[in-house]
Amino acid sequence: MTQPPPPPPQQPPQGGGFGPPQDQPPQDQPPQTPPPAAGPNLGKAPEPGYGYPQAPQAPQTPPPAAPQNPPQPPAGYGYPQGAPAPQPPQAPQTPPGYGYPGQQPGPYGQPQQAPYGQPGYGQPGFGQPGYGQQPGYGYPQQTMPHPPQAGQPGGGKKLNAQMLIIVAAVVAIALIIGGGVWYASSGKDEGKQNDTAGQSGGTGGTDDDNGGITSGKEKAPSDPSAKVLFQVPAPEVKNDSTVVVSGSWLTDKAYVKSGIARIVGYDRDKGGELWKIPLAGPVCQASRHVTDDNLTAVLYQPAMPTKADPSHGCSQIALIDLDAGKRLWTKTVKTGDQLINFDNITLSGKTVAVGSTSGGAAFDVSGKLLWSPKPGDSCYDAGYGGGDKLVAVRKCGSYDQRQLHIQTIDPKSGKVISEYKMTEGIEYASIVSTNPLVVAADVGDSAGDGSGISDFFSIDSRTGKLRTRISAPGEQFAARCEGITRVEACNLLAVGNDRLYLPTEEHDGTGKYSQTNEIVAFDLATGKQTGQRADAGDGYTISPLRMDGGNLIAYKRPPYDKGGQVVSISGTGFKETTLLQNPATDAVRDVETSMSPEYSEFLYAEGHLFMSKVYASKRSTVRDKEYLAVGFGTS
């Protein structure tokens, strides 16, 4: 359903809450846990390439009122259709250095805006899908696929003996040709601890590379009932356009959010502005990672777009101090006399890395250039995954013979430590996690739901060899990756404890009108399900946000008569603990459910939950208020 255009901007009401009257929302107690919903049999590992069977559903008496329809996601998520089918891979030599291709790269889609977060305090939930921006701001408008319809989980047909032999042969060949390359310089930095804060959707979460489970920092409050702390009105957009407002971070003092051509720090509890950083143009992309001293990086345009000039390109690379509220430096990179417009930005250690179809570049946080595209190079770094390690998605070959090289590289020198060559014909790949190294791809455009994921590849970052490949059919699992231009743009998933945590697609609950889902875990060493399952509860849908040590932090989107929840799920027994319970009033719930984990940024830490938009557009109605961000908190 098309959402009505937002109303003119207004000041946020004092004292939190939404709409008249401006009283504090009631402190509701957490709802009673409903009985387990009928759904997929997730306790049994699926057969290769297929999932669990759908269990019969028990009809129930319908609720008093039909649930409100959640906002429909905008069109344009995922990979372009019609990409070439994968071909048997060749074994080209890896060209030295980093640079842009000698031939014209293949087409790519509109960048999505992704979620970003502060290590130690939670990662943003997620970004909006990459639909084209309207003339006037950002990138040129493009036609993108319609959003997928959620499929029903289903089982596969039994294979006869001859087919099993064929499948076994194909798997054996894939394992032979799918090996990696281990460079002699590897091993120095491999003993580092995993990034416990995680990446997009929350990766990391263990203290070693052997899957050891550690305790989390988030503790359940004596009363998880939350109230609205503050809300930030949506910024005014002057013409019929859409402008990027991507990027949010959380420190121990501030909630930081991008606005239109600015970055603002807000008091975590009261919402007052602590500082503001003006920019010459809108933010294009923002790093989800932050250094130990709260530095992060963004890409932005050098000027505000106009009707005559709808986009000035994303050429400006800036380092931001989230504590001081200052822009420390802005850098650009040229090829010849032309500025390079970059598609993505990340941070690993003290290195800021940017990628594009013209190649990749990197700067030290001091502002020193570490590497840049090399003219004449036949391969190019399309993008990087950051965090605990730095991983490049390097593209080689022509469009119809593309091969992706997944390279773990030294963030100080750019020297390759290890490399895994993906099967030729896979056009796009996303870095889900750098430690352990997990890559997602839509092999042969087989996902069929616009999610950008048909398979996950668990790779040994020390040797570059494939550990295992996990089939994740789009009709069964709800995770998403963009991967076209932003290689870290994955959401609704998490990596920790040497496991991959995925939510299932929604299915019927125990009530006639209810929907629900689960989170299941895959072992990154074997590729098999562990048998662990976290049920959302009838009427709720559950999405991973990030790891907290060995625990999984997840958000439960509520049914029509409840408030949302944040829960912690233990990595060992999958025991669920409620950390935060939002009010169930209509006004609060309407605003909460207007920001879904699929298409907004979610951050949680220490009893604080922040949700925010990643696009702003002109409001043509005064019927409803629109918010850029909203904060919830427990006492």
Side-chain angles (χ1 to χ4, degrees):
M1 178 183 295
T2 302
Q3 294 295 318
Q10 300 184 35
Q11 293 300 318
Q14 299 299 316
F18 300 96
Q22 299 296 332
D23 297 328
Q24 291 293 341
Q27 306 302 305
D28 292 351
Q29 295 301 317
Q32 297 299 314
T33 302
N41 178 13
L42 303 181
K44 180 181 178 181
E47 292 178 289
Y50 298 94
Y52 36 80
Q54 176 81 24
Q57 297 165 6
Q60 298 291 328
T61 303
Q68 298 175 355
N69 290 328
Q72 295 298 316
Y77 198 103
Y79 290 51
Q81 301 301 312
Q87 302 294 324
Q90 306 298 316
Q93 296 298 316
T94 304
Y98 296 84
Y100 59 87
Q103 53 266 340
Q104 183 67 26
Y108 57 92
Q110 164 70 28
Q112 293 177 269
Q113 301 309 318
Y116 311 103
Q118 162 69 25
Y121 290 94
Q123 300 305 317
F126 316 107
Q128 300 234 14
Y131 56 84
Q133 292 176 308
Q134 300 297 321
Y137 288 97
Y139 297 90
Q141 184 173 354
Q142 300 185 35
T143 301
M144 298 294 288
H146 291 289
Q149 299 297 320
Q152 293 296 326
K157 296 180 180 179
K158 293 183 179 180
L159 302 179
N160 59 30
Q162 182 178 3
M163 183 58 70
L164 288 173
I165 294 172
I166 295 173
V167 171
V170 171
V171 171
I173 294 171
L175 292 175
I176 293 171
I177 64 177
V181 179
W182 186 15
Y183 290 80
S185 61
S186 67
K188 277 191 174 182
D189 298 326
E190 297 298 282
K192 290 184 179 180
Q193 293 182 345
N194 284 10
D195 182 4
T196 57
Q199 302 175 38
S200 176
T203 61
T206 61
D207 278 345
D208 55 57
D209 289 325
N210 299 317
I213 297 178
T214 62
S215 61
K217 297 179 180 179
E218 302 292 350
K219 305 301 179 185
S222 56
D223 181 4
S225 298
K227 64 180 180 180
V228 177
L229 299 175
F230 64 89
Q231 55 274 337
V232 180
E236 181 180 3
V237 178
K238 295 182 179 179
N239 50 39
D240 294 326
S241 59
T242 298
V243 60
V244 176
V245 288
S246 175
S248 58
W249 305 265
L250 193 55
T251 73
D252 57 352
K253 296 180 181 179
Y255 168 67
V256 183
K257 175 63 187 166
S258 294
I260 296 180
R262 66 177 189 169
I263 299 172
V264 183
Y266 299 93
D267 183 282
R268 293 202 326 175
D269 294 308
K270 299 178 180 179
E273 286 192 12
L274 300 177
W275 48 260
K276 179 168 59 180
I277 302 173
L279 301 173
V283 170
C284 302
Q285 304 289 336
S287 170
R288 63 176 58 100
H289 304 291
V290 178
T291 66
D292 292 338
D293 50 354
N294 285 337
L295 304 181
T296 194
V298 299
L299 279 172
Y300 69 95
Q301 295 188 44
M304 289 299 295
T306 63
K307 288 186 178 180
D309 252 331
S311 176
H312 297 281
C314 299
S315 59
Q316 309 297 299
I317 308 162
L319 186 71
I320 305 297
D321 187 330
L322 297 174
D323 285 337
K326 293 181 180 180
R327 175 162 50 99
L328 300 182
W329 49 254
T330 296
K331 301 291 182 180
T332 59
V333 181
K334 290 185 176 182
T335 174
D337 295 330
Q338 298 294 318
L339 287 176
I340 296 177
N341 293 319
F342 292 99
D343 299 318
N344 53 76
I345 187 167
T346 194
L347 191 149
S348 179
K350 299 292 185 180
T351 296
V352 176
V354 286
S356 73
T357 56
S358 296
F363 293 85
D364 184 84
V365 292
S366 66
K368 176 186 176 182
L369 179 66
L370 299 177
W371 67 82
S372 60
K374 295 181 179 180
D377 199 342
S378 61
C379 298
Y380 66 97
D381 287 1
Y384 301 92
D388 189 45
K389 298 181 181 181
L390 187 62
V391 176
V393 175
R394 189 166 176 80
K395 292 193 174 187
C396 296
S398 60
Y399 177 74
D400 58 348
Q401 289 185 315
R402 183 82 73 208
Q403 188 172 43
L404 303 183
H405 298 202
I406 308 301
Q407 298 179 333
T408 299
I409 60 179
D410 185 331
K412 296 180 180 179
S413 66
K415 188 174 183 180
V416 177
I417 297 172
S418 68
E419 178 179 78
Y420 172 76
K421 296 179 182 179
M422 301 195 75
T423 302
E424 190 174 298
I426 298 177
E427 181 66 18
Y428 306 106
S430 299
I431 305 297
V432 177
S433 167
T434 61
N435 189 17
L437 179 53
V438 179
V439 174
D442 186 359
V443 180
D445 295 325
S446 59
D449 63 345
S451 66
I453 305 170
S454 67
D455 296 84
F456 292 93
F457 298 79
S458 174
I459 301 168
D460 188 327
S461 62
R462 285 182 282 253
T463 64
K465 292 183 178 180
L466 183 69
R467 299 175 67 197
T468 191
R469 177 171 166 174
I470 299 170
S471 175
E475 72 272 13
Q476 296 175 26
F477 300 102
R480 292 178 176 272
C481 289
E482 191 245 277
I484 298 172
T485 56
R486 298 182 306 115
V487 302
E488 281 189 308
C490 292
N491 62 17
L492 305 181
L493 78 177
V495 173
N497 308 323
D498 207 36
R499 295 167 187 163
L500 170 66
Y501 299 100
L502 296 179
T504 67
E505 289 285 0
E506 293 182 29
H507 57 83
D508 289 342
T510 57
K512 184 174 181 181
Y513 299 105
S514 68
Q515 293 282 295
T516 189
N517 77 326
E518 300 80 25
I519 292 175
V520 297
F522 288 86
D523 190 308
L524 290 175
T526 66
K528 297 179 179 180
Q529 284 195 37
T530 64
Q532 295 169 311
R533 181 180 77 173
D535 295 310
D538 203 36
Y540 289 87
T541 53
I542 190 168
S543 304
L545 293 184
R546 65 174 175 91
M547 297 303 297
D548 173 35
N551 298 334
L552 175 65
I553 304 296
Y555 171 73
K556 288 186 175 184
R557 185 177 174 88
Y560 69 97
D561 58 347
K562 305 289 184 182
Q565 297 178 347
V566 175
V567 298
S568 176
I569 302 168
S570 68
T572 50
F574 249 45
K575 180 182 177 182
E576 198 173 295
T577 302
T578 301
L579 300 177
L580 179 144
Q581 168 70 58
N582 278 338
T585 61
D586 290 343
V588 174
R589 192 176 61 251
D590 286 349
V591 175
E592 178 179 3
T593 55
S594 73
M595 298 187 190
S596 68
E598 291 90 342
Y599 308 115
S600 303
E601 298 175 349
F602 277 49
L603 292 170
Y604 175 82
E606 298 175 338
H608 293 73
L609 172 65
F610 299 97
M611 306 175 179
S612 64
K613 300 286 182 67
V614 296
Y615 285 102
S617 58
K618 183 177 180 179
R619 296 182 295 269
S620 59
T621 177
V622 296
R623 184 173 55 186
D624 297 315
K625 275 191 175 182
E626 291 285 334
Y627 295 98
L628 173 66
V630 58
F632 300 92
T634 57
S635 300

